[in-house]
Amino acid sequence: QVHVVQSGGGLVQAGGSLRLSCAASGRTSNSYAMGWFRQAPGNEREFVGFINWSDSRTWYADSVKGRFTISGDLAKNTVYLQMNSLKPEDTAVYFCAATGPYKFPSSRAGPYDYWGQGTQVTVSS
């Protein structure tokens, strides 16, 4: 079992920045990657990006590319989502998740078996 705990979030003005943290614990050795997703009221859960633990390779949704950056600290089993140039449409509950054993990361939620509790990000206009 892998446990995922998030921190960060809050209220920020449009154009501002915010950083989220996500720490994993437990049996993490066979989890290839950590992903970020978000869900706004009335919307489906949306892919934000992921990072591979082995080589720190990242991939982002087009909607956040160039504005958001994912990084990781393997020693701490912690990943970060740095959000810059925030827009009101970025307002959502943000979730981090770890892939299940031997599963490859994806823009879909399927490979991610272990989810954080979610944290609210609100961007005011």
Side-chain angles (χ1 to χ4, degrees):
Q1 183 69 33
V2 175
H3 304 280
V4 182
V5 178
Q6 300 177 227
S7 61
L11 176 65
V12 66
Q13 287 185 302
S17 298
L18 201 62
R19 181 160 66 181
L20 308 182
S21 298
C22 178
S25 62
R27 300 179 64 182
T28 61
S29 61
N30 293 321
S31 182
Y32 289 171
M34 297 287 291
W36 288 94
F37 294 79
R38 65 187 184 184
Q39 188 166 22
N43 289 356
E44 296 181 349
R45 189 164 296 185
E46 177 188 21
F47 170 74
V48 174
F50 67 76
I51 182 169
N52 289 315
W53 282 119
S54 61
D55 58 4
S56 297
R57 181 184 298 177
T58 56
W59 190 251
Y60 303 94
D62 288 341
S63 59
V64 306
K65 195 175 298 181
R67 299 188 298 121
F68 291 11
T69 302
I70 299 171
S71 60
D73 185 337
L74 183 58
K76 297 180 180 179
N77 276 321
T78 299
V79 297
Y80 306 93
L81 178 64
Q82 177 67 46
M83 302 180 289
N84 298 325
S85 301
L86 282 161
K87 305 173 181 179
E89 52 262 45
D90 295 319
T91 295
V93 176
Y94 282 71
F95 297 89
C96 63
T99 53
Y102 315 111
K103 294 181 178 179
F104 294 104
S106 171
S107 61
R108 298 176 296 276
Y112 304 90
D113 288 343
Y114 314 106
W115 291 80
Q117 78 276 20
T119 186
Q120 178 71 44
V121 172
T122 302
V123 184
S124 62
S125 60

